[in-house]
């Protein structure tokens, strides 16, 4: 992509620390990108009663993608999640979570591809006095596009299709469409019930390569998997649509540790690497990921993964390694 325009949302809490840290790394790459700061979130809601407006959406539309920190949920029953509004507005149907052990304590290295728009989170709910029906929506089109995306990542890898087709008819459709698309693409696949997949993920996570699953199952399995590789401070994610995407660390705004230099910037920096890869800056994405590994292996880390360094010390070290590696 020529001259990408990136909307940057620091958001709240540690978003205000980890996003600037990641931007330092982006700046070190000397790429031809334009950053457009967008101030939305809790702070805005406190001042104006709105966390996001139509004008903010206009700015997002004028950009190629969004680099997002975290937003604290305001205590307002009418509040609609900003992230969900963005996901819906841009039809970001694929949620991608690479689960890779940057601490090199293991060979865990797989990606969870989660359908992001339907399933149990369809938003179709019927509330009665003594019962609530939440509707699980699985469509052929939804399955086809998430399966196709997963297959694009599964080249020369094994695709694990995770479902609950022994109980849910909606999962028959999901499983069958995924199998068809995998076969059409010549991808080696297996299928697994979600309960069995959770068990195997804990016992033998190194066996997995690419997992494709529905919205709720993916939500649960991806947070569980984050625990396998050092926790929220190192987990990156992407929300991908047909021609738009949002990249964000998996963690939230963590108000308990905000403004203290304790936040691990690696999740945000690895999300930056995903963004670089998405828009075609492959060499730079590789350089950033390699620098993260090197800095972690030297023990330059924040306390959440066992170190004593601050957010900025970790980011500075990653910037130095990126600069050295790109200069050679
Ligand atoms: P929110 O309401 O915005 O989701 P939260 O505190 O409920 O915020 P997270 O921000 O996801 O949820 O984090 C949960 C806990 O994990 C935090 O309280 C914090 O202690 C820890 N944590 C999260 N992100 C990081 C990070 N980048 N570095 C270090 N610790 C982190």
């Amino acid at each position: 992509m020529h001259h990408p325009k990136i909307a940057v949302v620091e958001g709240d809490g540690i978003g205000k620390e980890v996003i600037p840290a990641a931007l330092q790394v982006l700046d070190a790459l000397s790429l031809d990108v334009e950053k457009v700061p967008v101030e939305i979130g809790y702070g805005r809601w406190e001042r104006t009663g709105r966390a996001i407006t139509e004008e903010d959406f206009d700015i997002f539309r004028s950009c190629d993608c969004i680099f997002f920190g975290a937003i604290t949920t305001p205590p307002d029953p009418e509040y609609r999640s900003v992230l969900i509004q963005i996901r819906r507005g841009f039809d970001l149907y694929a949620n991608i979570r690479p689960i890779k052990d940057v601490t090199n304590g293991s060979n865990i290295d797989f990606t969870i591809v989660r359908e992001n728009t339907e399933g149990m989170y369809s938003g179709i709910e019927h509330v009665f006095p003594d019962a609530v029906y939440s509707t699980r929506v699985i469509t052929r089109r939804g399955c086809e596009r998430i399966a196709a995306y997963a297959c694009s990542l599964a080249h020369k890898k094994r695709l694990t299709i995770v479902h609950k087709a022994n109980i849910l008819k909606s999962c028959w459709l999901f499983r069958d469409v995924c199998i068809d698309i995998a076969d059409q693409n010549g991808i080696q696949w297996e299928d697994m019930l979600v309960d069995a997949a959770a068990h195997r993920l804990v016992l033998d996570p190194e066996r997995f390569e690419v997992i494709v699953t529905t919205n709720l199952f993916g939500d649960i399995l991806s947070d569980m998997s984050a625990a396998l590789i050092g926790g929220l401070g190192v987990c990156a994610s992407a929300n991908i649509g047909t021609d738009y995407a949002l990249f964000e660390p998996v963690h939230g705004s963590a108000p308990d540790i905000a403004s203290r230099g304790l936040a691990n910037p690696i999740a945000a920096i690895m999300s930056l690497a995903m963004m670089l890869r998405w828009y075609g800056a492959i060499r730079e994405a590789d350089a950033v990921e390699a620098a993260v590994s090197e800095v972690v292996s030297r023990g330059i880390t924040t306390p959440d993964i066992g170190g004593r360094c601050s957010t900025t010390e970790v980011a500075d070290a990653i910037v130095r390694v990126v600069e050295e590696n790109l200069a050679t």
Side-chain angles (χ1 to χ4, degrees):
M1 191 180 287
H2 178 64
H3 187 67
K5 202 168 156 190
I6 302 163
V8 178
V9 177
E10 290 182 4
D12 306 303
I14 61 170
K16 292 191 185 307
E17 295 164 77
V18 297
I19 296 300
L23 292 182
Q24 244 181 288
V25 177
L26 175 62
D27 291 343
L29 300 170
S30 306
L31 286 166
D32 180 25
V33 295
E34 184 180 344
K35 292 169 284 181
V36 181
V38 185
E39 269 191 68
I40 57 174
Y42 189 89
R44 161 82 86 78
W45 174 83
E46 268 189 323
R47 285 197 313 277
T48 67
R50 312 259 322 256
I52 187 166
T53 62
E54 202 38 52
E55 288 76 56
D56 300 314
F57 270 96
D58 288 340
I59 301 176
F60 289 150
R61 276 184 215 103
S62 74
C63 295
D64 296 296
C65 61
I66 305 174
F67 188 43
F68 192 92
I71 286 183
T72 306
T73 305
D76 172 0
E78 297 297 303
Y79 173 76
R80 287 174 60 227
S81 158
V82 164
L83 256 184
I84 291 179
Q85 290 186 62
I86 296 173
R87 277 183 196 157
R88 294 236 164 98
F90 290 98
D91 197 21
L92 304 179
Y93 65 89
N95 188 299
I96 312 301
R97 296 248 195 125
I99 304 291
K100 185 171 164 56
D101 191 354
V102 289
T103 66
N104 295 322
S106 69
N107 291 321
I108 297 173
D109 185 2
F110 62 91
T111 301
I112 299 183
V113 179
R114 160 187 163 197
E115 203 292 321
N116 215 13
T117 58
E118 49 185 40
M120 280 305 290
Y121 301 163
S122 67
I124 303 172
E125 300 202 289
H126 298 288
V127 181
F128 302 101
D130 298 315
V132 178
Y133 298 160
S134 301
T135 307
R136 185 175 204 255
V137 176
I138 300 283
T139 66
R140 182 174 296 281
R141 173 174 172 264
C143 297
E144 279 170 356
R145 63 183 185 173
I146 199 68
Y149 194 87
C151 287
S152 74
L153 299 181
H155 184 58
K156 294 195 182 148
K157 292 184 181 168
R158 181 177 49 201
L159 178 67
T160 307
I161 302 163
V162 172
H163 59 81
K164 190 71 181 171
N166 58 339
I167 305 284
L168 299 170
K169 298 224 169 32
S170 50
C171 267
W172 290 7
L173 180 63
F174 180 78
R175 180 193 57 190
D176 291 353
V177 172
C178 286
I179 290 173
D180 276 353
I181 303 277
D183 283 342
Q184 283 165 28
N185 286 280
I187 302 292
Q188 188 204 340
W189 61 267
E190 62 180 354
D191 73 314
M192 212 179 272
L193 294 173
V194 63
D195 40 352
H199 188 81
R200 293 295 287 273
L201 274 165
V202 171
L203 286 184
D204 189 13
E206 294 179 11
R207 75 175 292 289
F208 290 94
E209 294 182 326
V210 178
I211 293 173
V212 64
T213 191
T214 55
N215 208 340
L216 172 65
F217 296 161
D219 193 10
I220 297 168
L221 293 182
S222 45
D223 269 30
M224 190 190 85
S225 301
L228 300 169
I229 55 156
L232 292 171
V234 296
C235 287
S237 79
N239 291 266
I240 308 265
T242 311
D243 49 16
Y244 204 84
L246 176 148
F247 301 86
E248 56 161 349
V250 166
H251 60 75
S253 61
D256 57 325
I257 58 162
S259 310
R260 291 162 58 197
L262 291 171
N264 192 339
I266 288 179
I269 293 170
M270 295 298 272
S271 305
L272 169 79
M274 291 182 86
M275 181 169 74
L276 295 169
R277 207 173 286 289
W278 176 78
Y279 73 69
I282 308 296
R283 178 171 162 261
E284 288 79 4
D286 288 344
V288 171
E289 286 172 3
V292 168
S293 281
E294 192 172 329
V295 165
V296 172
S297 69
R298 285 191 209 155
I300 305 172
T301 59
T302 45
D304 58 306
I305 52 169
R308 291 159 168 255
C309 297
S310 68
T311 311
T312 40
E313 283 166 343
V314 173
D316 289 346
I318 292 170
V319 165
R320 274 196 301 279
V321 176
V322 164
E323 283 171 347
E324 280 161 24
N325 289 356
L326 286 177
T328 54

mmCIF file of all heavy atoms in Angstrom, residues 12 14 18 70-73 223 231-234 249-257 262-268 302-305 311, ligand 1:
data_model
loop_
_atom_site.group_PDB
_atom_site.id
_atom_site.type_symbol
_atom_site.label_atom_id
_atom_site.label_comp_id
_atom_site.label_asym_id
_atom_site.label_seq_id
_atom_site.Cartn_x
_atom_site.Cartn_y
_atom_site.Cartn_z
ATOM 1 N N ASP A 12 -7.785 5.133 26.496
ATOM 2 C CA ASP A 12 -7.673 5.437 27.926
ATOM 3 C C ASP A 12 -6.628 4.556 28.606
ATOM 4 O O ASP A 12 -6.131 3.597 28.021
ATOM 5 C CB ASP A 12 -9.033 5.173 28.597
ATOM 6 C CG ASP A 12 -10.162 5.916 27.905
ATOM 7 O OD1 ASP A 12 -10.070 7.145 27.804
ATOM 8 O OD2 ASP A 12 -11.116 5.257 27.440
ATOM 9 N N ILE A 14 -3.786 2.491 30.055
ATOM 10 C CA ILE A 14 -2.464 2.163 29.505
ATOM 11 C C ILE A 14 -2.412 2.305 27.984
ATOM 12 O O ILE A 14 -1.327 2.266 27.410
ATOM 13 C CB ILE A 14 -1.970 0.755 29.935
ATOM 14 C CG1 ILE A 14 -2.903 -0.346 29.438
ATOM 15 C CG2 ILE A 14 -1.775 0.681 31.435
ATOM 16 C CD1 ILE A 14 -2.321 -1.751 29.633
ATOM 17 N N VAL A 18 1.048 2.521 25.889
ATOM 18 C CA VAL A 18 1.553 1.498 24.957
ATOM 19 C C VAL A 18 1.457 1.938 23.496
ATOM 20 O O VAL A 18 2.302 1.534 22.675
ATOM 21 C CB VAL A 18 0.859 0.124 25.169
ATOM 22 C CG1 VAL A 18 1.154 -0.420 26.554
ATOM 23 C CG2 VAL A 18 -0.633 0.165 24.920
ATOM 24 N N ALA A 70 -6.938 1.227 23.907
ATOM 25 C CA ALA A 70 -7.974 0.586 24.724
ATOM 26 C C ALA A 70 -8.896 1.664 25.259
ATOM 27 O O ALA A 70 -8.459 2.779 25.525
ATOM 28 C CB ALA A 70 -7.341 -0.164 25.889
ATOM 29 N N ILE A 71 -10.143 1.290 25.435
ATOM 30 C CA ILE A 71 -11.111 2.258 25.945
ATOM 31 C C ILE A 71 -11.768 1.716 27.211
ATOM 32 O O ILE A 71 -12.207 0.557 27.238
ATOM 33 C CB ILE A 71 -12.156 2.598 24.853
ATOM 34 C CG1 ILE A 71 -11.475 3.502 23.815
ATOM 35 C CG2 ILE A 71 -13.383 3.270 25.446
ATOM 36 C CD1 ILE A 71 -12.372 3.992 22.719
ATOM 37 N N THR A 72 -11.785 2.542 28.256
ATOM 38 C CA THR A 72 -12.458 2.163 29.497
ATOM 39 C C THR A 72 -13.968 2.317 29.287
ATOM 40 O O THR A 72 -14.411 3.331 28.748
ATOM 41 C CB THR A 72 -12.009 3.094 30.646
ATOM 42 O OG1 THR A 72 -10.578 3.070 30.719
ATOM 43 C CG2 THR A 72 -12.594 2.666 31.975
ATOM 44 N N THR A 73 -14.729 1.309 29.702
ATOM 45 C CA THR A 73 -16.187 1.360 29.514
ATOM 46 C C THR A 73 -16.813 2.360 30.490
ATOM 47 O O THR A 73 -16.666 2.208 31.701
ATOM 48 C CB THR A 73 -16.796 -0.034 29.773
ATOM 49 O OG1 THR A 73 -16.123 -0.956 28.920
ATOM 50 C CG2 THR A 73 -18.285 -0.055 29.480
ATOM 51 N N ASP A 223 -8.638 -15.952 24.790
ATOM 52 C CA ASP A 223 -8.158 -15.465 26.095
ATOM 53 C C ASP A 223 -7.477 -16.581 26.872
ATOM 54 O O ASP A 223 -6.468 -16.352 27.540
ATOM 55 C CB ASP A 223 -9.311 -14.875 26.922
ATOM 56 C CG ASP A 223 -9.462 -13.380 26.672
ATOM 57 O OD1 ASP A 223 -9.134 -12.941 25.546
ATOM 58 O OD2 ASP A 223 -9.896 -12.649 27.583
ATOM 59 N N GLY A 231 0.500 -14.059 29.082
ATOM 60 C CA GLY A 231 -0.580 -13.161 29.498
ATOM 61 C C GLY A 231 -0.877 -12.050 28.531
ATOM 62 O O GLY A 231 -0.332 -11.985 27.425
ATOM 63 N N LEU A 232 -1.758 -11.146 28.989
ATOM 64 C CA LEU A 232 -2.315 -10.132 28.099
ATOM 65 C C LEU A 232 -1.275 -9.144 27.578
ATOM 66 O O LEU A 232 -1.448 -8.553 26.513
ATOM 67 C CB LEU A 232 -3.403 -9.354 28.852
ATOM 68 C CG LEU A 232 -4.659 -10.152 29.189
ATOM 69 C CD1 LEU A 232 -5.568 -9.360 30.115
ATOM 70 C CD2 LEU A 232 -5.397 -10.499 27.903
ATOM 71 N N GLY A 233 -0.220 -8.937 28.339
ATOM 72 C CA GLY A 233 0.769 -7.916 27.966
ATOM 73 C C GLY A 233 1.528 -8.206 26.685
ATOM 74 O O GLY A 233 2.199 -7.316 26.148
ATOM 75 N N VAL A 234 1.432 -9.443 26.174
ATOM 76 C CA VAL A 234 2.190 -9.775 24.962
ATOM 77 C C VAL A 234 1.287 -10.170 23.782
ATOM 78 O O VAL A 234 1.801 -10.547 22.723
ATOM 79 C CB VAL A 234 3.214 -10.910 25.210
ATOM 80 C CG1 VAL A 234 4.269 -10.470 26.204
ATOM 81 C CG2 VAL A 234 2.536 -12.186 25.698
ATOM 82 N N PRO A 249 -3.833 -4.165 20.805
ATOM 83 C CA PRO A 249 -3.427 -5.167 21.795
ATOM 84 C C PRO A 249 -4.683 -5.813 22.378
ATOM 85 O O PRO A 249 -5.734 -5.174 22.434
ATOM 86 C CB PRO A 249 -2.693 -4.331 22.859
ATOM 87 C CG PRO A 249 -3.136 -2.922 22.652
ATOM 88 C CD PRO A 249 -3.503 -2.805 21.201
ATOM 89 N N VAL A 250 -4.558 -7.070 22.798
ATOM 90 C CA VAL A 250 -5.719 -7.785 23.324
ATOM 91 C C VAL A 250 -6.188 -7.193 24.656
ATOM 92 O O VAL A 250 -7.373 -7.178 24.964
ATOM 93 C CB VAL A 250 -5.357 -9.290 23.476
ATOM 94 C CG1 VAL A 250 -6.373 -10.017 24.334
ATOM 95 C CG2 VAL A 250 -5.248 -9.935 22.104
ATOM 96 N N HIS A 251 -5.238 -6.667 25.419
ATOM 97 C CA HIS A 251 -5.616 -6.173 26.748
ATOM 98 C C HIS A 251 -6.484 -4.923 26.667
ATOM 99 O O HIS A 251 -6.566 -4.263 25.629
ATOM 100 C CB HIS A 251 -4.365 -5.888 27.586
ATOM 101 C CG HIS A 251 -3.450 -4.857 27.005
ATOM 102 N ND1 HIS A 251 -3.724 -3.510 27.033
ATOM 103 C CD2 HIS A 251 -2.256 -4.978 26.374
ATOM 104 C CE1 HIS A 251 -2.733 -2.854 26.465
ATOM 105 N NE2 HIS A 251 -1.834 -3.716 26.037
ATOM 106 N N GLY A 252 -7.115 -4.601 27.806
ATOM 107 C CA GLY A 252 -7.916 -3.388 27.895
ATOM 108 C C GLY A 252 -7.097 -2.242 28.464
ATOM 109 O O GLY A 252 -5.859 -2.233 28.352
ATOM 110 N N SER A 253 -7.786 -1.296 29.098
ATOM 111 C CA SER A 253 -7.115 -0.068 29.532
ATOM 112 C C SER A 253 -6.408 -0.230 30.886
ATOM 113 O O SER A 253 -5.684 0.670 31.306
ATOM 114 C CB SER A 253 -8.144 1.061 29.612
ATOM 115 O OG SER A 253 -9.138 0.728 30.554
ATOM 116 N N ALA A 254 -6.616 -1.361 31.560
ATOM 117 C CA ALA A 254 -5.927 -1.699 32.822
ATOM 118 C C ALA A 254 -5.737 -0.499 33.747
ATOM 119 O O ALA A 254 -4.601 -0.126 34.063
ATOM 120 C CB ALA A 254 -4.581 -2.381 32.520
ATOM 121 N N PRO A 255 -6.826 0.116 34.208
ATOM 122 C CA PRO A 255 -6.673 1.312 35.049
ATOM 123 C C PRO A 255 -5.827 1.055 36.303
ATOM 124 O O PRO A 255 -5.197 1.983 36.803
ATOM 125 C CB PRO A 255 -8.116 1.673 35.443
ATOM 126 C CG PRO A 255 -9.018 0.799 34.661
ATOM 127 C CD PRO A 255 -8.222 -0.257 33.982
ATOM 128 N N ASP A 256 -5.793 -0.209 36.771
ATOM 129 C CA ASP A 256 -5.020 -0.502 38.002
ATOM 130 C C ASP A 256 -3.521 -0.233 37.848
ATOM 131 O O ASP A 256 -2.840 0.040 38.836
ATOM 132 C CB ASP A 256 -5.252 -1.965 38.452
ATOM 133 C CG ASP A 256 -4.900 -2.996 37.380
ATOM 134 O OD1 ASP A 256 -5.111 -2.710 36.181
ATOM 135 O OD2 ASP A 256 -4.420 -4.083 37.737
ATOM 136 N N ILE A 257 -2.998 -0.312 36.629
ATOM 137 C CA ILE A 257 -1.549 -0.087 36.466
ATOM 138 C C ILE A 257 -1.248 1.151 35.613
ATOM 139 O O ILE A 257 -0.086 1.413 35.298
ATOM 140 C CB ILE A 257 -0.832 -1.327 35.864
ATOM 141 C CG1 ILE A 257 -1.442 -1.704 34.501
ATOM 142 C CG2 ILE A 257 -0.862 -2.507 36.830
ATOM 143 C CD1 ILE A 257 -0.523 -2.605 33.690
ATOM 144 N N LEU A 262 4.239 0.639 34.098
ATOM 145 C CA LEU A 262 4.257 -0.821 34.296
ATOM 146 C C LEU A 262 3.726 -1.584 33.095
ATOM 147 O O LEU A 262 3.908 -2.798 32.991
ATOM 148 C CB LEU A 262 3.387 -1.181 35.508
ATOM 149 C CG LEU A 262 3.903 -0.764 36.882
ATOM 150 C CD1 LEU A 262 2.823 -0.995 37.947
ATOM 151 C CD2 LEU A 262 5.154 -1.585 37.233
ATOM 152 N N ALA A 263 3.045 -0.870 32.196
ATOM 153 C CA ALA A 263 2.371 -1.559 31.091
ATOM 154 C C ALA A 263 3.378 -2.151 30.112
ATOM 155 O O ALA A 263 4.322 -1.475 29.684
ATOM 156 C CB ALA A 263 1.461 -0.583 30.357
ATOM 157 N N ASN A 264 3.157 -3.391 29.769
ATOM 158 C CA ASN A 264 4.009 -4.053 28.780
ATOM 159 C C ASN A 264 3.624 -3.529 27.384
ATOM 160 O O ASN A 264 2.472 -3.683 26.969
ATOM 161 C CB ASN A 264 3.772 -5.569 28.864
ATOM 162 C CG ASN A 264 4.792 -6.347 28.093
ATOM 163 O OD1 ASN A 264 5.444 -5.814 27.200
ATOM 164 N ND2 ASN A 264 4.935 -7.610 28.436
ATOM 165 N N PRO A 265 4.574 -2.952 26.653
ATOM 166 C CA PRO A 265 4.223 -2.422 25.329
ATOM 167 C C PRO A 265 4.259 -3.475 24.215
ATOM 168 O O PRO A 265 3.948 -3.178 23.067
ATOM 169 C CB PRO A 265 5.320 -1.370 25.089
ATOM 170 C CG PRO A 265 6.517 -1.920 25.797
ATOM 171 C CD PRO A 265 5.987 -2.682 26.998
ATOM 172 N N ILE A 266 4.625 -4.726 24.565
ATOM 173 C CA ILE A 266 4.851 -5.727 23.502
ATOM 174 C C ILE A 266 3.563 -6.057 22.748
ATOM 175 O O ILE A 266 3.566 -6.189 21.517
ATOM 176 C CB ILE A 266 5.525 -6.995 24.081
ATOM 177 C CG1 ILE A 266 6.967 -6.659 24.428
ATOM 178 C CG2 ILE A 266 5.460 -8.160 23.091
ATOM 179 C CD1 ILE A 266 7.761 -7.791 25.020
ATOM 180 N N ALA A 267 2.426 -6.140 23.452
ATOM 181 C CA ALA A 267 1.164 -6.454 22.760
ATOM 182 C C ALA A 267 0.872 -5.389 21.707
ATOM 183 O O ALA A 267 0.470 -5.707 20.576
ATOM 184 C CB ALA A 267 0.018 -6.533 23.766
ATOM 185 N N ALA A 268 1.089 -4.127 22.061
ATOM 186 C CA ALA A 268 0.846 -3.047 21.094
ATOM 187 C C ALA A 268 1.871 -3.091 19.965
ATOM 188 O O ALA A 268 1.524 -2.886 18.787
ATOM 189 C CB ALA A 268 0.888 -1.694 21.799
ATOM 190 N N THR A 302 8.972 -5.923 31.112
ATOM 191 C CA THR A 302 8.191 -5.332 32.208
ATOM 192 C C THR A 302 7.865 -6.418 33.252
ATOM 193 O O THR A 302 8.003 -7.616 32.964
ATOM 194 C CB THR A 302 6.901 -4.708 31.643
ATOM 195 O OG1 THR A 302 6.312 -5.626 30.725
ATOM 196 C CG2 THR A 302 7.167 -3.380 30.957
ATOM 197 N N PRO A 303 7.415 -5.999 34.447
ATOM 198 C CA PRO A 303 7.209 -6.979 35.533
ATOM 199 C C PRO A 303 6.206 -8.080 35.224
ATOM 200 O O PRO A 303 6.333 -9.197 35.742
ATOM 201 C CB PRO A 303 6.693 -6.110 36.693
ATOM 202 C CG PRO A 303 7.200 -4.729 36.396
ATOM 203 C CD PRO A 303 7.234 -4.610 34.899
ATOM 204 N N ASP A 304 5.202 -7.821 34.382
ATOM 205 C CA ASP A 304 4.187 -8.863 34.116
ATOM 206 C C ASP A 304 4.787 -10.111 33.508
ATOM 207 O O ASP A 304 4.222 -11.199 33.646
ATOM 208 C CB ASP A 304 3.075 -8.308 33.198
ATOM 209 C CG ASP A 304 3.622 -7.804 31.885
ATOM 210 O OD1 ASP A 304 4.542 -6.965 31.910
ATOM 211 O OD2 ASP A 304 3.139 -8.247 30.822
ATOM 212 N N ILE A 305 5.948 -9.986 32.816
ATOM 213 C CA ILE A 305 6.584 -11.215 32.304
ATOM 214 C C ILE A 305 7.968 -11.402 32.956
ATOM 215 O O ILE A 305 8.880 -11.980 32.360
ATOM 216 C CB ILE A 305 6.651 -11.271 30.754
ATOM 217 C CG1 ILE A 305 7.271 -10.021 30.128
ATOM 218 C CG2 ILE A 305 5.266 -11.511 30.173
ATOM 219 C CD1 ILE A 305 7.570 -10.185 28.638
ATOM 220 N N THR A 311 7.799 0.625 30.737
ATOM 221 C CA THR A 311 7.246 0.626 29.371
ATOM 222 C C THR A 311 8.236 1.284 28.404
ATOM 223 O O THR A 311 8.545 0.729 27.340
ATOM 224 C CB THR A 311 5.922 1.437 29.352
ATOM 225 O OG1 THR A 311 5.105 0.987 30.422
ATOM 226 C CG2 THR A 311 5.199 1.302 28.028
HETATM 227 P P1 LIG B 1 -10.827 -2.780 30.659
HETATM 228 O O1 LIG B 1 -12.008 -2.496 31.527
HETATM 229 O O2 LIG B 1 -10.403 -1.607 29.851
HETATM 230 O O3 LIG B 1 -10.989 -4.049 29.848
HETATM 231 P P2 LIG B 1 -9.372 -4.268 32.648
HETATM 232 O O4 LIG B 1 -8.361 -3.849 33.669
HETATM 233 O O5 LIG B 1 -10.659 -4.834 33.107
HETATM 234 O O6 LIG B 1 -9.602 -3.040 31.653
HETATM 235 P P3 LIG B 1 -7.382 -5.480 31.032
HETATM 236 O O7 LIG B 1 -6.868 -4.148 30.744
HETATM 237 O O8 LIG B 1 -7.549 -6.367 29.869
HETATM 238 O O9 LIG B 1 -8.767 -5.427 31.739
HETATM 239 O O10 LIG B 1 -6.360 -6.134 32.025
HETATM 240 C C1 LIG B 1 -6.587 -7.032 33.094
HETATM 241 C C2 LIG B 1 -5.330 -7.015 33.968
HETATM 242 O O11 LIG B 1 -4.200 -7.542 33.273
HETATM 243 C C3 LIG B 1 -4.953 -5.586 34.315
HETATM 244 O O12 LIG B 1 -5.599 -5.223 35.467
HETATM 245 C C4 LIG B 1 -3.459 -5.627 34.436
HETATM 246 O O13 LIG B 1 -3.069 -5.917 35.747
HETATM 247 C C5 LIG B 1 -3.043 -6.750 33.506
HETATM 248 N N1 LIG B 1 -2.575 -6.193 32.207
HETATM 249 C C6 LIG B 1 -3.306 -5.956 31.108
HETATM 250 N N2 LIG B 1 -2.562 -5.447 30.119
HETATM 251 C C7 LIG B 1 -1.306 -5.361 30.598
HETATM 252 C C8 LIG B 1 -0.069 -4.886 30.035
HETATM 253 N N3 LIG B 1 0.036 -4.399 28.792
HETATM 254 N N4 LIG B 1 1.011 -4.926 30.833
HETATM 255 C C9 LIG B 1 0.953 -5.413 32.077
HETATM 256 N N5 LIG B 1 -0.168 -5.863 32.656
HETATM 257 C C10 LIG B 1 -1.303 -5.843 31.916
#
